[in-house]
Every structure is written in structure tokens, then in C-alpha cells.
Amino acid sequence: MSSSKKLITCLSIILVVVLLCTQSVHSQLQVGFYMNSCMLAEFIVKDEVRKAFIKDKGVAAGLVRLHFHDCFVRGCEASVLIDSTASSTAEKDSPANNPSLRGFEVIDNAKAKLEAICKGVVSCADIVAFAARDSIELTGGVRYYVPAGRRDGRISLASETLTNLPPPTLNVDQLTQSFANKGFTQEEMVTLSARLKEQCPQGSTDPNLVVPMNPSSPAVTDVGYYIDILANRGLFTSDQTLLRSPETANQVNQNARNPMLWRFKFAAAMLKMGQLGVLTGNAGEIRTNCRVINS
């Protein structure tokens, strides 16, 4: 790499680091939100993620995807965690989520520990955001500060996943528009694509059996996804379609060549995603059980 390219890469990383330390598009979310009300909140979540990761390396990517599927439907307010009832099918039981979405038990365990020491304080939505960040760090990605203060929603409808979650059959223009609808640039769409997909093996209903979208390094936050696409090993239409546009093809190549820069870009995009449609103040609630709205 030439000295000028190295300088550009270093400056880009410095810029993203600044964003990671300061960016909060929602004024009521704060880094260290639980410092006075539940000091151990983030530590407890990280410990539960770590224990789950030791047992199953794939749970890390699952928790990142859980955060994505939560935030893209109704915003980051933990509606994806709510169980279906006799009268309503919830998001988690939609075809987009069931049976491939996983990590629910990690959130449940963290919530139980937190309720035992800080009853009614830490929201399920914040737990999901912390768990996604911790999963990225555990798999070699960049740790970033998570502004907290989200509250939990009270509605979860499977039908809303159809219009909000991009299916794997989209072409590059449709993908770009789907992410633009949530406020993301095309570059951020390409950046996020690397860790937000999993698929159940054909004919399987076992949620523990999933096909990672970057099989060369499924338990590592790295650029293997882009390398696989360049080698025509993308598993979905929405993977290989990234090479059919000059702009996105250039971004795929750039990410494959600059792993460290991509890690910082990915962390920044996750930080931005974690602030989509959040509920704060008196909106929503703090669920006692993440699977059930408070009575």
C-alpha cells in the first residue's frame, strides 16, 4: 500500500473513532446511562454474552442479527423479543425470523440477572444493543460506546417484518432503497451486509443449525464476506448483486482490502442503527420479562 493510501486509511479510521466516541443522533440516549441506577448493567450483559459464546461461537452473529431485526421493525425497542399470543402472531414468529433468529436465551439470562439486582431499571432494548456490541468485540471487532436509555415497546406484529426487513432476493437498487428508508447510505448498507444474515439449512427447523453467510470465518468479525463475494461464493441474490453496481462493487473491493477500516466503519454503522426509532422518556415501558409486555 502506498504512503498516500496509508495516510487516507489512517485518517478515515481516526474520523470513525471520533464518531464512535461522540455520535448520538438521539439526544436522550446517553453513554453511561445506567452508571447511577445500575452500575453493573453493561458488565452483566457482557458476561452473559461471553458465557453463551464459549458454548456456541455462532451466537455472536445471531445477537448482532437480532439487534438488526429489532431495529428495522418499529425501531430499537425490543419488539422482536415479544412472544406470540393466541390472538396475535409476533415478529419473532414471522418467516423472516423463525426459526433462524437466535440469541433470545442470552437476552433472557441477562435480564433475569439484572432484575435481581436492579428491578425495573434496565430495558430489554438496551440489553439487545449491549449484547450486539459485546458480540462484535468478542469476535474481533471494534468495541464502541453504546448510548443507552431506550425503553421497550408494547406491540409486535409479524406482518410488519414483511415491509421492513429486506429479503435475500433483492437486487442492489432495492437493497439501497430498503436501507435508505431507514436513513442509511449505500456505503453503510454494504458495510452492514457482512454480519446481518443467517439461513437455516434446507428442510431444518432446528434454530441451532444455521448456515453463516461468511463460511470462511463464521465466528469472526472480519471481511471474509466480501472475499467470498469476490470469489463468487455469495449465497444469496442480495450478496452477489453487490458486484453488479460499480459503486457497490468498489465498496466490496475496498472492504476486502482494508479489514481494519471496515471494522471501524461497521462499528459506526451499528452505532447508528442502534438509535433507530428509539423510545425514551415516558414512552413505552421497562419490561419485567422481555418476552411479555407488562400487564
Side-chain angles (χ1 to χ4, degrees):
M1 184 184 291
S2 68
S3 58
S4 61
K5 287 184 178 179
K6 287 181 179 178
L7 177 60
I8 291 172
T9 298
C10 288
L11 290 174
S12 298
I13 291 175
I14 291 170
L15 175 61
V16 177
V17 169
V18 172
L19 289 172
L20 292 177
C21 293
T22 63
Q23 183 182 17
S24 178
V25 298
H26 200 291
S27 61
Q28 293 189 55
L29 296 183
Q30 299 176 5
V31 172
F33 182 83
Y34 295 108
M35 187 58 65
N36 295 321
S37 58
C38 191
M39 185 182 298
L40 295 178
E42 295 189 47
F43 173 81
I44 288 171
V45 174
K46 184 175 183 178
D47 188 53
E48 290 302 319
V49 173
R50 181 190 59 80
K51 289 189 291 188
F53 182 71
I54 291 172
K55 295 179 182 178
D56 174 13
K57 297 295 188 291
V59 77
L63 286 165
V64 174
R65 183 167 173 259
L66 184 68
H67 188 35
F68 164 55
H69 280 224
D70 180 36
C71 293
F72 263 52
V73 182
R74 289 189 165 265
C76 307
E77 36 76 86
S79 57
V80 74
L81 304 179
I82 297 174
D83 285 345
S84 296
T85 65
S87 60
S88 178
T89 303
E91 292 171 32
K92 65 166 53 172
D93 288 320
S94 71
N97 292 330
N98 188 4
S100 63
L101 203 61
R102 56 179 173 159
F104 297 104
E105 70 289 344
V106 181
I107 306 302
D108 289 339
N109 292 341
K111 180 63 172 175
K113 294 282 179 62
L114 289 166
E115 284 296 301
I117 64 168
C118 308
K119 187 173 180 61
V121 173
V122 183
S123 70
C124 301
D126 278 341
I127 294 172
V128 173
F130 293 148
R133 183 269 312 277
D134 297 335
S135 296
I136 291 168
E137 183 186 13
L138 279 170
T139 52
V142 173
R143 180 176 176 81
Y144 54 93
Y145 295 104
V146 175
R150 299 166 188 78
R151 288 172 66 86
D152 302 323
R154 295 177 54 84
I155 298 172
S156 183
L157 301 172
S159 59
E160 293 186 341
T161 64
L162 300 175
T163 53
N164 287 285
L165 294 176
T169 54
L170 298 187
N171 62 38
V172 68
D173 291 332
Q174 292 168 325
L175 274 175
T176 299
Q177 186 58 56
S178 177
F179 276 75
N181 292 341
K182 303 296 181 182
F184 290 97
T185 66
Q186 186 180 69
E187 182 178 7
E188 288 169 333
M189 178 271 289
V190 176
T191 299
L192 285 169
S193 293
R195 299 296 289 180
L196 300 184
K197 299 175 184 175
E198 287 183 333
Q199 180 188 34
C200 285
Q202 188 170 2
S204 173
T205 57
D206 184 349
N208 295 313
L209 295 176
V210 294
V211 177
M213 293 301 100
N214 54 331
S216 60
S217 52
V220 180
T221 297
D222 66 4
V223 297
Y225 170 82
Y226 303 104
I227 295 171
D228 288 341
I229 289 177
L230 291 171
N232 292 312
R233 292 197 295 264
L235 299 184
F236 289 140
T237 300
S238 57
D239 298 325
Q240 290 304 137
T241 193
L242 296 180
L243 296 182
R244 299 196 177 108
S245 155
E247 294 82 6
T248 54
N250 179 62
Q251 291 158 19
V252 169
N253 275 281
Q254 182 187 69
N255 290 339
R257 293 194 309 266
N258 297 279
M260 184 55 67
L261 176 58
W262 172 79
R263 284 186 176 93
F264 280 100
K265 287 165 53 180
F266 182 71
M270 286 294 296
L271 176 60
K272 178 177 176 178
M273 185 182 74
Q275 300 179 60
L276 288 177
V278 296
L279 301 176
T280 60
N282 294 321
E285 64 184 16
I286 305 296
R287 276 183 232 140
T288 301
N289 178 342
C290 290
R291 294 174 178 264
V292 183
I293 62 173
N294 296 342
S295 56

